[in-house]
């Protein structure tokens, strides 16, 4: 497996990567959200390889990445007018749209669904790679299923070593959590996964937007709309618990829980913010950034969760963040990573 430096577009490298995809192989590549694990979206064998490399359940569909609007025509049966409006405003960018699929898209790529998720990433290397590979790249995040998504090429190497043909190393990603997913296949457009593009941003373009009720909780009888929503995601190896409440209270509770865990012989970790860092006491204390800057927190989140693993931390307590705006995307990932284990003060 080759790791190639791809901080900028190099036509020789893109050609090589494109060749691998056309031959049915897999290439990991940087996007503005997280690293993707790419294969030819129109080749069922490639999609099967993606599931195998990730150890991902085959009913959890992949996202098809395109590099130009015209590519939509081949892969969906009808293009909803909302898709056109959203693409004009947010593409290339961290927004995935779900539409009805055409016969060109194999069921292996959509996890057996008649709908397909499509996105145009806002990253020069990703766009050049998609183009060089024939225009349609199926790509989930390039992590082993269940683990935090990769925000550095090193994370991809740790998870995928020997399982894929190539990694394009574009340095650290900019956003750090996966794209917003919006379903356009029935009635009101519905957010299935929160991301950088918030509901408020979508409402500047669309009259109505719903959020799926299962986004922030697990205590619901409703079946999740996006198949991927039912699986454990983003989780570090250590047992992660979130603590919600006033900052002072949170510091007290976290320190107390950590002291108890230490007594049991656990290696302890705390995920906190710059504001609370000095007061937190554990074997490994990591700040995700200032409370004021949720974009910084998002960018660092997965890297920190992986660092706890690397340092052998077995019990982790984390502060909680605002659930408003982009904060909702951060909390959605943290809640899943914690298996919805939350202490409310
Ligand atoms: P990943 O970004 O690796 O988590 O993979 C893509 C996610 O997109 C899946 O886990 C699903 O939640 C979602 N997704 C992809 N295709 C569809 C679809 N056709 N319908 C609903 N959700 C989808
Ligand atoms: Mg993923």
């Amino acid at each position: 497996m080759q790791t190639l430096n791809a901080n900028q577009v190099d036509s020789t490298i893109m050609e090589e990567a494109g060749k691998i995809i056309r031959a049915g192989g897999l290439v990991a590549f940087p996007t503005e959200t997280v690293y993707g694990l790419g294969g030819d979206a129109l080749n069922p064998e490639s999609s099967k390889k993606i599931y195998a490399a990730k150890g991902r359940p085959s009913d959890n569909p992949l996202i098809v990445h395109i590099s130009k609007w015209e590519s939509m025509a081949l892969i969906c049966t009808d293009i909803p007018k909302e898709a056109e409006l959203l693409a004009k405003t947010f593409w290339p960018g961290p927004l995935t749209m779900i539409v009805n699929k055409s016969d060109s898209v194999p069921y292996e790529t959509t996890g057996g669904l008649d709908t397909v998720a499509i996105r145009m990433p806002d990253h020069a290397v990703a766009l050049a790679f998609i183009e060089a590979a024939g225009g349609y790249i199926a790509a989930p995040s390039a992590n082993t299923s269940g683990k935090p998504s990769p925000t550095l090429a090193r994370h991809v190497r740790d998870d995928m070593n020997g399982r894929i043909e190539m990694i394009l190393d574009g340095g650290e990603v900019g956003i750090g959590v996966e794209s917003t997913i919006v379903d356009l296949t029935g009635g009101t457009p519905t957010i299935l996964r929160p991301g950088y593009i918030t509901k408020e941003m979508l409402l500047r373009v669309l009259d109505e937007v719903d959020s799926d009720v299962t986004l922030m909780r697990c205590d619901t009888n409703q079946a999740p709309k996006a198949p991927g929503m039912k699986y454990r995601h983003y989780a570090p190896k250590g047992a992660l618990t979130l603590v919600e409440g006033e900052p002072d209270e949170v510091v007290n509770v976290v320190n107390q829980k950590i002291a108890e865990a230490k007594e049991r012989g656990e290696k302890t970790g705390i995920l906190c913010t710059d504001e609370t860092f000095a007061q937190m006491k554990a074997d490994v204390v990591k700040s995700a950034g200032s409370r004021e800057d949720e974009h910084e927190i998002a960018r660092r989140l997965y890297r920190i969760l992986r660092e706890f693993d690397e340092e052998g931390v077995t019990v982790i307590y984390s502060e909680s963040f605002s659930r408003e705006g982009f904060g909702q995307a951060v909390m959605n990932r943290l809640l899943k990573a914690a298996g919805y284990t939350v202490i409310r003060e």
Side-chain angles (χ1 to χ4, degrees), residues 294-309:
E294 49 204 14
H295 291 96
E296 180 68 17
I297 293 169
R299 190 156 50 238
R300 291 196 200 167
L301 179 67
Y302 289 143
R303 194 177 75 195
I304 291 177
L305 293 180
R306 280 179 179 259
E307 284 168 359
F308 285 131
D309 283 358

Side-chain angles (χ1 to χ4, degrees), residues 34 54 56 60-65 96 98-99 109-111 113-118 139-143 149 178-179 181 183 192-193 225-231 233-234 336:
V34 298
K54 281 182 64 89
R56 178 171 175 131
N60 186 358
L62 310 176
I63 293 174
V64 178
H65 292 66
T96 297
I98 296 180
V99 297
T109 299
T110 65
L113 297 173
D114 288 315
T115 55
V116 59
I118 309 174
S141 49
N143 52 285
S149 299
E178 303 79 356
S179 59
I181 300 182
D183 183 1
L192 302 186
R193 178 172 75 187
K225 277 212 184 117
M229 294 160 98
K230 73 185 181 207
Y231 295 108
H233 263 98
Y234 323 121
K336 287 192 173 202

